[in-house]
Amino acid sequence: MAAEKFETSLKKLEEVVRKLEGGSLSLDDSIKAFEEGVKHAAFCAKKLDEAERKVEVLIKQRDGSFRKEPFTTDDDE
């Protein structure tokens, strides 16, 4: 899932939710779908957190100016 985009993962998560809310899945399929949904939700949450930290780096300059600083994630190492 590392190369996956936020938007793709979000769409997959939405599809999982639709399937689960539809109520037509067996218990085993529901559990598998739930596990897949949890993975997509965690991925999306991580990407949103990274974006939030990046925005914070851009706006939190002490002298009031805006300066772009390098933003690295755990994946960059």
Side-chain angles (χ1 to χ4, degrees):
M1 198 178 295
E4 191 165 355
K5 290 186 173 184
F6 172 83
E7 293 81 2
T8 304
S9 193
L10 182 60
K11 285 182 183 183
K12 289 180 180 179
L13 176 58
E14 290 170 344
E15 180 59 32
V16 167
V17 170
R18 276 193 291 278
K19 287 180 184 177
L20 288 170
E21 287 179 340
S24 61
L25 296 176
S26 68
L27 179 59
D28 286 338
D29 289 341
S30 293
I31 291 170
K32 288 177 187 175
F34 180 79
E35 289 172 344
E36 179 185 351
V38 168
K39 289 177 186 175
H40 288 295
F43 176 82
C44 289
K46 179 183 176 198
K47 290 298 182 183
L48 289 172
D49 184 54
E50 289 171 2
E52 182 178 344
R53 284 186 284 134
K54 185 174 184 179
V55 169
E56 288 174 356
V57 168
L58 292 173
I59 63 174
K60 286 190 175 179
Q61 300 302 312
R62 292 178 190 234
D63 65 358
S65 67
F66 293 94
R67 188 178 77 183
K68 187 173 183 180
E69 296 180 2
F71 177 71
T72 59
T73 65
D74 295 337
D75 296 337
D76 293 340
E77 296 174 2

